[in-house]
Amino acid sequence: MVKILLTNDDGPFSPGLWILYEAIKELGEIYIIVPETPKSASGLGITLHKPLRINKLHIKGQTVFLVNGTPSDIVYVALNVITGKLDLVLSGVNIGENVSMQVILSSGTVGAVLQGAIEGIPGIAFSAAVSSPEELEDINLSKSIRDFISVFVRKILERGYPSSVDIINVNFPPGRPRGVIIAPPARKRFSTIVSKRKDPRGINYYWLYGQPVEGEPGTDVDIVFSKGGIAITPLRLPLFDTCENSLKQIIDEINSILTYEGYENNDYIPSV
Amino acid sequence: MVKILLTNDDGPFSPGLWILYEAIKELGEIYIIVPETPKSASGLGITLHKPLRINKLHIKGQTVFLVNGTPSDIVYVALNVITGKLDLVLSGVNIGENVSMQVILSSGTVGAVLQGAIEGIPGIAFSAAVSSPEELEDINLSKSIRDFISVFVRKILERGYPSSVDIINVNFPPGRPRGVIIAPPARKRFSTIVSKRKDPRGINYYWLYGQPVEGEPGTDVDIVFSKGGIAITPLRLPLFDTCENSLKQIIDEINSILTYEGYENNDYIPSV
């Protein structure tokens, strides 16, 4: 039986967690492990500076493990303390979309799946373009999301996770989906991101915020918001690129300016 | 004159910041903007839930802007409030190496540069395999790091940043470098990452920690630790992959099971 970690960055009371659970509860041995409190925009942050604790809660008849850390922490705590080796990490359903590289890389929902990928565990992140838990609880919306996840994860388990990618990022549109499509990530979702204000003492402070920008046609931003479709975005981890022409030349020149003992001896060889 | 943001995740008093400053102070108009307090392992986290403040400090005759946020926050605060359009983001020199995908993706030092890349600004992250500020202050070590950075950044500015990549991650070995080389990232730097303990009341708690693993030959981990070289790791942002064969088939099947109104009408077309 496949062992599945179910996590999120909104904590145990998010309706998104339970839509995901209902969708996949029959597909394997399910472990629900989530942050104690919402951890949005935590990216791949790892908690190194304070001890982590694990608590248990029973919700809807299920054991839910609570960790006072980030979604990335949870993957390590799961593997080392709770679940042992995992076959799949599923994260979400997040309250709020995670579209565009800008948002994907700072998303806790996606962060858990990326962290799993580093450990060699395939994973899928699910997010919905809603702005509140209530909106996600809409009976038609939650049913369409649950139905999709149920079929999608079942098929992935039957066919095997695509070998060429590390994570799959799935975003649901606001309202009933009009289709499902493979979409590349836009680079940005937001432009201007700082709002300047004055506190009661007249001193400046700043909120980070953003104006949504329209996505290029066919990108995840475009599919979810303009087309009303479900965007499936398979991604590989940041890719090494040798920059053959440009960087090698610079490095050769550096080696002629700054002399390094090891280099002359040629006792190690680039593997690129 | 090029406008350069100089940042880090260790705060204003890290000797690494000043090694970097000394190395590049003559290469452009330099803005030093750093987190108020160390922000290690903050990845691309963005502060959305509390106001940010900007304070100024004068250190070594330079104006240093302090932001009570993460390295990612700093890029947005810089662009919107302090610097305007930037030509280059330089981050570091971090106390501690940032090698392997596992570490790179959760690194605040690299996070600032990745955030810059999303805004279309080229950048370079510098980290040193030292375990304390004192170690980095060693006169020979800091000189060799400063000399390298100085030549490297100057060459990059002269030749132009490599167009095929988004960030360049540079790691210095412990001790005097034996060479400089382009190296792909290892996937992992650490294995077992949770240490279980009991608090004074006998209740379990956990520290995240890791046992270093040996890097595959030629990877950044191997170059920095086994070969004693400077590892230059150019990276592209996570890459979209269509998974042509595997996922498309699943999606076609989903469309035959779950009927979406928009799909039948074929009123939007995948751009992949």
Side-chain angles (χ1 to χ4, degrees):
Chain A
M1 202 176 209
V2 293
K3 223 188 251 186
I4 302 175
L5 168 62
L6 204 161
T7 190
N8 73 2
D9 71 349
D10 288 328
F13 301 110
S14 168
L17 178 70
W18 297 100
I19 291 172
L20 179 51
Y21 174 75
E22 286 297 324
I24 55 98
K25 66 182 178 190
E26 269 144 37
L27 301 183
E29 189 182 340
I30 316 294
Y31 291 86
I32 309 177
I33 314 178
V34 296
E36 245 172 25
T37 52
K39 296 283 168 191
S40 291
S42 55
L44 267 88
I46 296 176
T47 304
L48 301 170
H49 57 286
K50 62 169 194 180
L52 296 175
R53 290 178 185 271
I54 303 171
N55 287 299
K56 275 191 223 178
L57 208 62
H58 292 276
I59 306 179
K60 298 176 194 260
Q62 300 308 311
T63 302
V64 178
F65 294 90
L66 303 180
V67 177
N68 62 333
T70 66
S72 284
D73 294 338
I74 282 171
V75 171
Y76 290 116
V77 169
L79 289 169
N80 285 279
V81 185
I82 303 172
T83 63
K85 199 170 159 359
L86 284 162
D87 299 299
L88 187 64
V89 175
L90 300 177
S91 181
V93 178
N94 192 59
I95 311 281
E97 70 283 356
N98 281 303
V99 286
S100 85
M101 287 311 323
Q102 183 185 43
V103 173
I104 288 170
L105 284 172
S106 66
S107 158
T109 306
V110 182
V113 175
L114 268 173
Q115 203 63 260
I118 286 165
E119 294 298 316
I121 310 160
I124 312 170
F126 298 100
S127 308
V130 295
S131 49
S132 69
E134 292 71 27
E135 214 179 310
L136 187 56
E137 280 172 320
D138 173 89
I139 191 87
N140 291 316
L141 183 61
S142 63
K143 182 177 182 311
S144 69
I145 291 176
R146 195 180 62 234
D147 287 350
F148 174 84
I149 292 176
S150 182
V151 178
F152 186 65
V153 175
R154 188 186 305 266
K155 294 271 175 203
I156 291 279
L157 288 174
E158 280 169 17
R159 302 293 169 73
Y161 196 86
S163 57
S164 57
V165 296
D166 293 295
I167 70 164
I168 300 175
N169 189 36
V170 177
N171 281 278
F172 298 98
R176 198 174 147 68
R178 304 187 61 225
V180 44
I181 217 158
I182 300 177
R187 182 164 279 241
K188 286 178 66 173
R189 165 95 179 97
F190 297 110
S191 61
T192 33
I193 286 246
V194 177
S195 157
K196 180 174 172 179
R197 303 192 179 182
K198 280 194 192 300
D199 74 13
R201 293 174 304 154
I203 296 169
N204 290 331
Y205 69 96
Y206 305 85
W207 282 114
L208 287 187
Y209 186 68
Q211 293 298 321
V213 293
E214 236 174 87
E216 294 288 301
T219 59
D220 55 358
V221 172
D222 178 58
I223 296 301
V224 168
F225 289 102
S226 305
K227 307 299 195 300
I230 300 172
I232 313 284
T233 304
L235 293 168
R236 274 189 249 167
L237 287 179
L239 207 72
F240 174 66
D241 186 307
T242 59
C243 307
E244 197 79 37
N245 303 324
S246 49
L247 272 188
K248 273 229 169 102
Q249 200 180 341
I250 288 177
I251 287 170
D252 285 345
E253 287 176 24
I254 290 178
N255 274 302
S256 71
I257 299 169
L258 307 171
T259 46
Y260 295 113
E261 47 167 309
Y263 190 82
E264 306 285 3
N265 300 338
N266 209 17
D267 59 354
Y268 62 92
I269 310 293
S271 72
V272 295
Chain B
M1 201 177 210
V2 294
K3 222 188 253 184
I4 301 176
L5 168 63
L6 204 161
T7 190
N8 74 1
D9 72 348
D10 289 327
F13 302 111
S14 168
L17 179 69
W18 297 101
I19 292 172
L20 179 51
Y21 175 75
E22 286 297 325
I24 56 100
K25 67 183 177 188
E26 269 144 37
L27 302 182
E29 189 182 339
I30 315 293
Y31 292 87
I32 309 177
I33 315 178
V34 297
E36 245 172 23
T37 52
K39 295 284 168 190
S40 291
S42 56
L44 268 89
I46 295 176
T47 304
L48 302 169
H49 58 285
K50 64 170 193 180
L52 296 174
R53 290 178 185 272
I54 303 171
N55 288 299
K56 275 191 223 176
L57 208 62
H58 293 276
I59 307 179
K60 298 176 194 261
Q62 300 307 310
T63 302
V64 178
F65 294 90
L66 303 179
V67 177
N68 61 333
T70 66
S72 285
D73 295 338
I74 281 171
V75 171
Y76 290 117
V77 168
L79 289 170
N80 284 280
V81 185
I82 302 171
T83 63
K85 199 170 160 358
L86 284 161
D87 299 300
L88 187 63
V89 175
L90 299 177
S91 182
V93 177
N94 192 59
I95 310 280
E97 70 283 358
N98 281 302
V99 286
S100 84
M101 288 309 325
Q102 182 185 43
V103 174
I104 288 169
L105 284 172
S106 66
S107 158
T109 306
V110 182
V113 175
L114 268 172
Q115 204 62 260
I118 287 165
E119 294 298 316
I121 311 159
I124 312 171
F126 299 99
S127 308
V130 295
S131 49
S132 70
E134 291 71 27
E135 213 179 312
L136 187 56
E137 280 171 321
D138 173 89
I139 191 86
N140 291 317
L141 184 61
S142 62
K143 181 178 182 314
S144 69
I145 291 176
R146 194 179 64 234
D147 287 350
F148 173 83
I149 293 175
S150 183
V151 179
F152 186 64
V153 175
R154 188 185 305 267
K155 294 273 175 202
I156 291 278
L157 288 174
E158 280 169 18
R159 304 292 169 72
Y161 195 87
S163 58
S164 58
V165 296
D166 294 294
I167 70 164
I168 300 175
N169 189 36
V170 177
N171 281 279
F172 298 97
R176 199 175 146 67
R178 303 189 60 226
V180 45
I181 218 159
I182 300 178
R187 182 162 278 242
K188 286 177 67 173
R189 166 94 178 98
F190 297 110
S191 60
T192 33
I193 283 247
V194 178
S195 156
K196 180 173 172 178
R197 302 193 180 182
K198 281 194 193 299
D199 73 14
R201 292 176 303 154
I203 297 170
N204 290 331
Y205 69 95
Y206 306 85
W207 283 111
L208 287 187
Y209 187 68
Q211 291 299 320
V213 293
E214 236 174 89
E216 294 288 301
T219 59
D220 54 359
V221 172
D222 178 58
I223 295 301
V224 168
F225 289 102
S226 305
K227 307 299 194 301
I230 300 173
I232 313 284
T233 305
L235 293 168
R236 275 189 247 167
L237 286 178
L239 206 72
F240 174 65
D241 186 306
T242 59
C243 308
E244 197 78 36
N245 303 323
S246 48
L247 272 188
K248 273 229 169 102
Q249 200 181 341
I250 288 178
I251 287 171
D252 286 344
E253 288 176 22
I254 290 178
N255 274 301
S256 72
I257 298 169
L258 307 170
T259 47
Y260 295 113
E261 47 167 310
Y263 191 82
E264 305 286 2
N265 299 339
N266 211 15
D267 59 355
Y268 63 91
I269 310 292
S271 73
V272 294

